[in-house]
Amino acid sequence: MGDHFEKGQHALLNEGEENEMEIFGYRTQGCRKTLCLAGSIFSFGILPLVFYWRPAWHVWANCVPCSLQEADVVLLRTTDEFQTYSWKKVMWIYLSSLNSEFGVTPDHPLITDEEFIINRAIRKPDLKVRCIKVQKIRYVWNNLEEQFQKIGCLEDWLSSTKIHLKFGSGLTREEQAIRRLICGPNTIDVKITPIWKLLIKEVLNPFYIFQLFSVCLWFSEDYKEYAFAIIIMSIMSIALTVYDLREQSVKLHRLVESHNSITVSVCGRKAGVQELESRFLVPGDLLVLTGNKVQMPCDAILIDGSCVVDEGMLTGESIPVTKTPLPKTESSEPWKTQSEADYKRHVLFCGTEIIQARGACSGTVRAVVLQTGFNTAKGDLVRSILYPKPMNFKLYRDAIRFLLCLVGTATIGMIYTLCVYVLSGESPEEVVKKALDVITIAVPPALPAALTTGIIYAQRRLKKRGIFCISPQRINVCGQLNLVCFDKTGTLTRDGLDLWGVVPCDRSGFQEIHSFASGRSLPWGPLCAAMATCHSLILLDGTIQGDPLDLKMFEATTWEMALSGDDFHIKGVPAHAVVVKPCKTASQVPVEGIAILHQFPFSSALQRMTVIAQEMGGDRLAFMKGAPERVASFCQPETVPTSFVSELQSYTTQGFRVIALAYKKLEMDHHSTALTRDKVESDLIFLGLLILENRLKDETKPVLEELISARIRTVMVTGDNLQTAITVARKSGMVSESQKVILIEANETTGSPSASMTWKLVEEKKHIAYSNQNNYINIREEVSDNGREGSYHFALSGKSFQVISQHFSSLLPKILINGTIFARMSPGQKSSLVEEFQKLDYFVGMCGDGANDCGALKMAHVGISLSEQEASVASPFTSKTPNIECVPHLIKEGRAALVTSFCMFKYMALYSMIQRQTAFQITSFCSRIWPSQLLLA
């Protein structure tokens, strides 16, 4: 095997990414292909079958190693523990077809410019491009760098200036045509697999081929009854599998079908704005976004205007997110790294919904297409469903090992039988039959069908409980689960937060808590004004929409929201601005209303949001809302009560989520958009604390207690805020009262390849740093009172998880052993976390309800969806009851099915051994009788 690779050129595809592969170049050789064809004919189709099972052998037999530049076939090998092989033909894309329409020649400026990968891929002077398609992604051969590179997305090295300059006016028709031909259509196309294809794929399974061989042999020996029984059981098993696969294929097709039929407005450099089907979009196209409730057909960078987007498909949290335009800076750094906050705030992701698009001075909202097709966020999600990583189940691995032992024994028996019957003078036909018969006796062909018996009964019982299964083989694995990951929102908790009260403060300290349950309205003051204005809510079709937290806070003020009309003329207040007004029943409110002029959106990295607001006929104000510690750090020290830390701790330890509010007056001589965030967020006056609670579903706590008592680990993996996740973990019993939570924060050092990591006891706020020094936290001293293991839990965010994975990989397994709370996790990070747990020999279950859980549901040994939407397509199990009560039921049925499978395995193995022993005894008897018969003759 090694010889084949040493001769050919070897490179990496998707280097450093999760789906990294090794790629080897091969050239087809005519004489080898002829020999393989002859071998296929003379072996009666056995050779092609072997090549089907072993793709690498097919390439080695038909081709010779060569450089990737000369290759017409490439062999791919995954870099994971399985090292799975596949092969692809190198295809050609011809640009000569564009010559007649656009006059594209080798010396055309668009062809000679080699700044972008697309241009470097074009071979001159014949104007053609070499490419391969791997797992729905197209890769082109970069003639300059001599490697295959992904196409269908803008280059990462582009600076914001370059994006604005190159793509800010759109592409010409020639550029669009070239990119469309090379990048392919902007579609997430999942075809429904025909039944005949599924049937052939299933029938060509090695075990069914062995069954066919066995049945043919038995019919030749007139052993019909048992042969018919095996045929019926096999047909039923194949039909059930094909039906399940077909259903899954149809579901996935329906999920992405609507994505490919969206009409968009595209601005061309010379052609102007025109309506276009989304499948014709290419990276670099300039989208003009109009109207509301628009589905994004691609990933795009917002360059002008702002958008409010529902990213529930990605995060699982149906919270509108405000997207801001990519700033046009003079820096030459890549656009992803030059932004002070997360670059994703400038990106509109495919599959998300634009709730509202607001134009800036130019009046239009414009975005540059960043990625198309399967390169997009939604495409990546679909690919994770289509191409899940293979799983190595110990049960099946041990079963194969045992079968190999039986095959070894059968081979010895076959040799013995051959010797006996040949010496006995039997006919060659009878000798072959008897020898082959020993193999069918030793390796029971009925084993796969017998093993499904327990699974079928378990599946029926699950169906009665409202749990539906599209992959019955996973039921056995349910019985082995020892770790279950749970999404939070909609899975462990009810959707949204409930406002419990507000704690005002003044110069003398915190005042008595104002409870909204009493029905009393909050008195007018800066605190009331902050609650009415410091949010990202929008008014859409007369309905207020936005973050549930913001919605609860605004509703508590009993104020009303409206949009200013064209006749609205107040200095510094733009038309169509959001205006909040006290309700008609409110008394003693000295202002007619407050207009929200400008927002500095919430960012999980910054842990705060700020708005600039204008009182009608009054002052211009700035209001801030965010994590209490962060907000307090921007306030004048004398305005923050001395009991701030103890007051905050008293609420967080009770399981509440706490938000702080602050404000200050601004000068009127500046336009709101001209003020920088740093200038606005300074010297604030602290106003008080907002107290919220995230209510658990009634079933959550008893189920988690049952799992923990059964020594099954429970882990929370959510896209929500870290503090909220910690609170829910405590309230649900995932983290008990006697156990401590250690918060891990990891950050990359700016302008340096190194990173740092800090630990913080959540209750005591004590930091312990870790970088390149030998600093450490002594768990026994710092956390545990009695020195017991498991008396502490680690909590970390998705960003920290990513940094630790890259820079502190040796620490990651140690952190995961006690890691319980993972917040702000992206869909990809959820999948990676599940995979990391699997590497630690855990059998992992994942329970979620959103599209953002699809990858993790597919990656886990057992995925359980509480929704019948996107998540059910990726998940082997779907529960009709939208709570986690299904988890213990599934584990119990899995254990029952597992015990049944073990018993059936033992029975079939013993049956074959007894049968084999009987056969040996008959053969031995015959060997003693036949010589005496020959003598008498």
Side-chain angles (χ1 to χ4, degrees):
M1 189 185 295
D3 294 340
H4 287 275
F5 295 140
E6 284 168 14
K7 292 173 187 174
Q9 186 182 346
H10 161 240
L12 285 173
L13 205 65
N14 303 322
E15 189 172 358
E17 295 181 25
E18 189 180 339
N19 56 341
E20 183 182 82
M21 290 182 179
E22 290 176 290
I23 180 169
F24 304 90
Y26 285 86
R27 188 174 59 253
T28 308
Q29 203 171 48
C31 59
R32 283 178 174 242
K33 204 168 183 179
T34 306
L35 284 171
C36 287
L37 186 63
S40 300
I41 295 166
F42 291 119
S43 65
F44 301 102
I46 293 173
L47 188 62
L49 197 61
V50 172
F51 286 163
Y52 172 77
W53 293 332
R54 298 288 181 185
W57 294 6
H58 176 273
V59 175
W60 296 337
N62 285 274
C63 311
V64 290
C66 67
S67 67
L68 285 169
Q69 193 167 1
E70 300 170 327
D72 60 0
V73 171
V74 293
L75 183 63
L76 301 158
R77 181 173 68 187
T78 59
T79 54
D80 56 19
E81 59 178 305
F82 302 99
Q83 296 204 328
T84 310
Y85 285 96
S86 60
W87 63 274
K88 299 288 176 183
K89 278 190 175 181
V90 177
M91 299 176 294
W92 289 94
I93 301 169
Y94 295 93
L95 271 67
S96 52
S97 58
L98 302 174
N99 193 16
S100 57
E101 189 179 353
F102 299 105
V104 176
T105 57
D107 56 350
H108 193 285
L110 290 177
I111 304 297
T112 54
D113 177 21
E114 294 192 340
E115 189 176 14
F116 298 97
I117 293 173
I118 285 178
N119 304 89
R120 294 175 185 177
I122 302 170
R123 182 182 285 187
K124 293 96 172 174
D126 42 3
L127 298 181
K128 55 183 184 178
V129 177
R130 295 175 74 232
C131 72
I132 55 173
K133 199 171 184 179
V134 182
Q135 293 186 353
K136 303 286 185 181
I137 299 289
R138 187 178 285 186
Y139 299 84
V140 295
W141 179 257
N142 186 328
N143 294 300
L144 204 64
E145 297 181 23
E146 296 192 343
Q147 61 176 345
F148 281 104
Q149 289 184 322
K150 190 190 290 185
I151 204 74
C153 47
L154 291 183
E155 286 80 354
D156 287 336
W157 58 263
L158 288 169
S159 65
S160 64
T161 309
K162 190 78 177 174
I163 290 170
H164 279 273
L165 190 67
K166 173 71 180 173
F167 307 109
S169 303
L171 299 172
T172 62
R173 288 180 66 237
E174 292 89 341
E175 285 176 308
Q176 286 176 329
I178 291 169
R179 285 172 178 256
R180 200 170 289 143
L181 193 61
I182 296 174
C183 297
N186 173 42
T187 55
I188 301 175
D189 193 18
V190 180
K191 292 178 182 175
I192 298 172
T193 312
I195 291 173
W196 65 268
K197 270 191 179 180
L198 293 170
L199 192 62
I200 289 171
K201 192 176 179 181
E202 189 64 23
V203 167
L204 291 180
N205 184 296
F207 223 104
Y208 286 122
I209 297 294
F210 176 67
Q211 275 190 343
L212 179 66
F213 160 75
S214 302
V215 166
C216 292
L217 184 66
W218 294 336
F219 271 117
S220 70
E221 294 180 328
D222 209 30
Y223 192 26
K224 294 176 183 177
E225 291 82 359
Y226 189 58
F228 273 122
I230 294 296
I231 289 170
I232 292 165
M233 289 171 74
S234 298
I235 289 171
M236 287 173 64
S237 180
I238 290 168
L240 190 66
T241 306
V242 168
Y243 174 78
D244 288 336
L245 290 171
R246 174 75 175 187
E247 283 290 294
Q248 198 170 0
S249 180
V250 170
K251 269 188 177 182
L252 193 55
H253 173 77
R254 286 175 183 165
L255 173 67
V256 298
E257 193 176 18
S258 60
H259 166 88
N260 303 319
S261 56
I262 299 171
T263 303
V264 293
S265 299
V266 178
C267 181
R269 186 162 291 179
K270 295 175 184 175
V273 179
Q274 56 182 344
E275 296 290 311
L276 204 67
E277 284 186 43
S278 59
R279 63 192 178 94
F280 294 117
L281 288 174
V282 294
D285 263 335
L286 185 65
L287 288 176
V288 178
L289 303 170
T290 55
N292 303 323
K293 296 284 182 181
V294 178
Q295 286 283 338
M296 277 302 294
C298 60
D299 289 354
I301 308 168
L302 192 63
I303 62 167
D304 199 10
S306 63
C307 290
V308 179
V309 183
D310 181 0
E311 292 190 339
M313 191 275 293
L314 292 177
T315 63
E317 312 294 323
S318 295
I319 298 170
V321 179
T322 303
K323 299 288 184 175
T324 56
L326 180 71
K328 190 176 180 180
T329 60
E330 297 302 319
S331 172
S332 59
E333 285 182 57
W335 69 276
K336 287 184 180 180
T337 58
Q338 68 185 33
S339 179
E340 63 175 37
D342 189 357
Y343 73 88
K344 291 177 183 176
R345 66 161 52 189
H346 311 305
V347 180
L348 304 169
F349 291 104
C350 177
T352 60
E353 185 180 53
I354 297 175
I355 300 171
Q356 193 175 71
R358 297 176 191 162
C361 303
S362 64
T364 58
V365 179
R366 301 182 304 152
V368 174
V369 175
L370 174 64
Q371 296 179 136
T372 57
F374 281 94
N375 292 293
T376 62
K378 185 171 183 177
D380 194 45
L381 203 61
V382 174
R383 283 176 65 240
S384 70
I385 298 169
L386 288 171
Y387 306 104
K389 284 200 172 181
M391 283 179 287
N392 208 351
F393 295 137
K394 192 172 184 296
L395 172 68
Y396 300 139
R397 197 167 65 239
D398 291 346
I400 289 168
R401 283 174 183 167
F402 182 74
L403 286 174
L404 288 173
C405 291
L406 291 179
V407 169
T409 312
T411 307
I412 297 166
M414 187 178 72
I415 295 166
Y416 175 73
T417 306
L418 276 170
C419 295
V420 169
Y421 280 94
V422 167
L423 291 171
S424 320
E426 286 286 307
S427 63
E429 184 186 346
E430 196 66 25
V431 171
V432 171
K433 277 185 184 179
K434 295 297 180 187
L436 293 175
D437 207 22
V438 172
I439 297 176
T440 64
I441 291 168
V443 184
L447 186 61
L451 287 175
T452 58
T453 308
I455 294 171
I456 291 167
Y457 282 103
Q459 193 175 3
R460 284 181 183 176
R461 289 193 295 268
L462 287 171
K463 196 171 183 179
K464 288 177 183 176
R465 291 185 178 273
I467 303 168
F468 296 89
C469 176
I470 60 170
S471 180
Q473 293 79 14
R474 299 283 182 114
I475 295 176
N476 269 341
V477 186
C478 293
Q480 296 177 280
L481 291 183
N482 51 13
L483 185 148
V484 184
C485 297
F486 293 97
D487 180 39
K488 183 186 71 66
T489 310
T491 303
L492 297 176
T493 66
R494 299 171 186 172
D495 290 319
L497 292 156
D498 293 309
L499 190 61
W500 191 71
V502 64
V503 187
C505 82
D506 56 22
R507 298 275 178 181
S508 59
F510 285 108
Q511 306 300 305
E512 185 182 345
I513 187 166
H514 177 92
S515 174
F516 292 102
S518 63
R520 292 185 298 114
S521 59
L522 189 67
W524 164 252
L527 182 60
C528 181
M531 290 175 63
T533 58
C534 196
H535 51 70
S536 57
L537 299 175
I538 60 167
L539 197 64
L540 190 64
D541 300 329
T543 308
I544 301 172
Q545 294 188 6
D547 188 326
L549 186 154
D550 287 346
L551 203 56
K552 289 283 183 184
M553 180 181 73
F554 180 73
E555 286 172 352
T557 63
T558 68
W559 282 41
E560 297 169 349
M561 184 181 288
L563 289 175
S564 60
D566 293 322
D567 57 344
F568 187 83
H569 298 295
I570 293 179
K571 186 182 177 182
V573 179
H576 306 290
V578 174
V579 178
V580 292
K581 300 177 180 180
C583 62
K584 294 173 184 177
T585 56
S587 57
Q588 297 179 340
V589 179
V591 294
E592 185 185 338
I594 305 172
I596 300 169
L597 308 182
H598 187 70
Q599 277 186 27
F600 296 104
F602 176 81
S603 160
S604 55
L606 301 175
Q607 295 182 307
R608 65 186 186 278
M609 78 164 291
T610 304
V611 297
I612 299 172
Q614 171 76 57
E615 288 182 350
M616 293 184 186
D619 298 321
R620 183 168 293 180
L621 305 164
F623 295 101
M624 180 189 282
K625 175 190 73 182
E629 298 94 338
R630 295 293 291 157
V631 172
S633 68
F634 291 99
C635 294
Q636 299 169 17
E638 62 273 15
T639 65
V640 181
T642 53
S643 60
F644 171 78
V645 175
S646 59
E647 188 81 9
L648 177 61
Q649 194 167 348
S650 69
Y651 288 111
T652 54
T653 51
Q654 290 178 64
F656 291 109
R657 182 175 175 189
V658 184
I659 301 292
L661 296 161
Y663 91 113
K664 81 171 188 179
K665 291 184 180 180
L666 297 172
E667 296 174 3
M668 297 284 285
D669 55 351
H670 288 99
H671 195 276
S672 58
T673 55
L675 291 168
T676 63
R677 189 163 192 164
D678 291 338
K679 190 171 182 180
V680 174
E681 295 178 338
S682 60
D683 295 324
L684 299 172
I685 297 168
F686 192 80
L687 289 174
L689 301 172
L690 205 63
I691 316 298
L692 304 108
E693 60 177 336
N694 201 184
R695 290 185 183 172
L696 295 171
K697 289 182 177 179
D698 297 333
E699 304 81 10
T700 297
K701 196 166 184 178
V703 169
L704 291 180
E705 284 174 351
E706 185 180 359
L707 293 174
I708 291 166
S709 65
R711 296 188 177 277
I712 296 171
R713 265 190 74 185
T714 54
V715 171
M716 189 190 300
V717 190
T718 176
D720 203 354
N721 176 276
L722 184 57
Q723 187 55 56
T724 306
I726 293 170
T727 300
V728 170
R730 285 209 174 279
K731 289 173 74 176
S732 65
M734 198 176 278
V735 176
S736 68
E737 292 179 10
S738 61
Q739 295 172 324
K740 300 290 180 74
V741 176
I742 299 173
L743 180 63
I744 299 177
E745 292 179 0
N747 295 289
E748 289 182 311
T749 309
T750 310
S752 168
S754 62
S756 63
M757 187 161 59
T758 60
W759 288 269
K760 179 172 71 173
L761 290 176
V762 172
E763 290 79 5
E764 298 174 17
K765 308 295 179 193
K766 183 175 180 180
H767 284 267
I768 298 96
Y770 177 94
S771 54
N772 295 328
Q773 301 172 359
N774 292 325
N775 297 333
Y776 64 94
I777 178 170
N778 189 322
I779 301 292
R780 295 186 185 279
E781 287 181 15
E782 297 284 351
V783 181
S784 179
D785 297 327
N786 51 15
R788 287 189 303 107
E789 287 270 316
S791 57
Y792 63 95
H793 297 263
F794 289 131
L796 58 154
S797 66
K799 181 188 171 186
S800 296
F801 173 76
Q802 197 75 23
V803 173
I804 292 167
S805 300
Q806 291 173 0
H807 298 276
F808 303 101
S809 54
S810 60
L811 281 179
L812 187 61
K814 297 173 184 177
I815 290 169
L816 294 183
I817 290 294
N818 282 82
T820 302
I821 302 157
F822 298 85
R824 293 290 184 210
M825 299 286 279
S826 68
Q829 287 167 346
K830 287 184 177 185
S831 301
S832 298
L833 178 66
V834 169
E835 189 181 359
E836 291 298 333
F837 275 127
Q838 288 170 342
K839 287 178 184 176
L840 297 176
D841 290 331
Y842 280 109
F843 282 89
V844 183
M846 173 71 198
C847 185
D849 67 334
N852 65 312
D853 299 316
C854 285
L857 288 167
K858 195 78 175 176
M859 176 63 70
H861 291 113
V862 176
I864 309 156
S865 168
L866 303 185
S867 159
E868 293 186 55
Q869 302 303 315
E870 295 99 328
S872 64
V873 178
S875 175
F877 299 95
T878 303
S879 173
K880 286 276 187 185
T881 311
N883 60 59
I884 64 170
E885 273 185 326
C886 58
V887 176
H889 291 316
L890 202 53
I891 293 172
K892 288 170 187 174
E893 290 296 347
R895 289 183 178 181
L898 191 61
V899 169
T900 308
S901 294
F902 274 130
C903 291
M904 289 303 297
F905 201 97
K906 288 175 184 176
Y907 172 79
M908 293 302 295
L910 285 168
Y911 172 77
S912 78
M913 285 178 179
I914 293 164
Q915 200 174 6
R916 186 169 68 247
Q917 184 66 30
T918 307
F920 284 168
Q921 285 173 350
I922 292 168
T923 306
S924 181
F925 175 75
C926 290
S927 68
R928 290 196 301 271
I929 295 297
W930 284 333
S932 60
Q933 287 177 335
L934 288 168
L935 190 65
L936 288 168

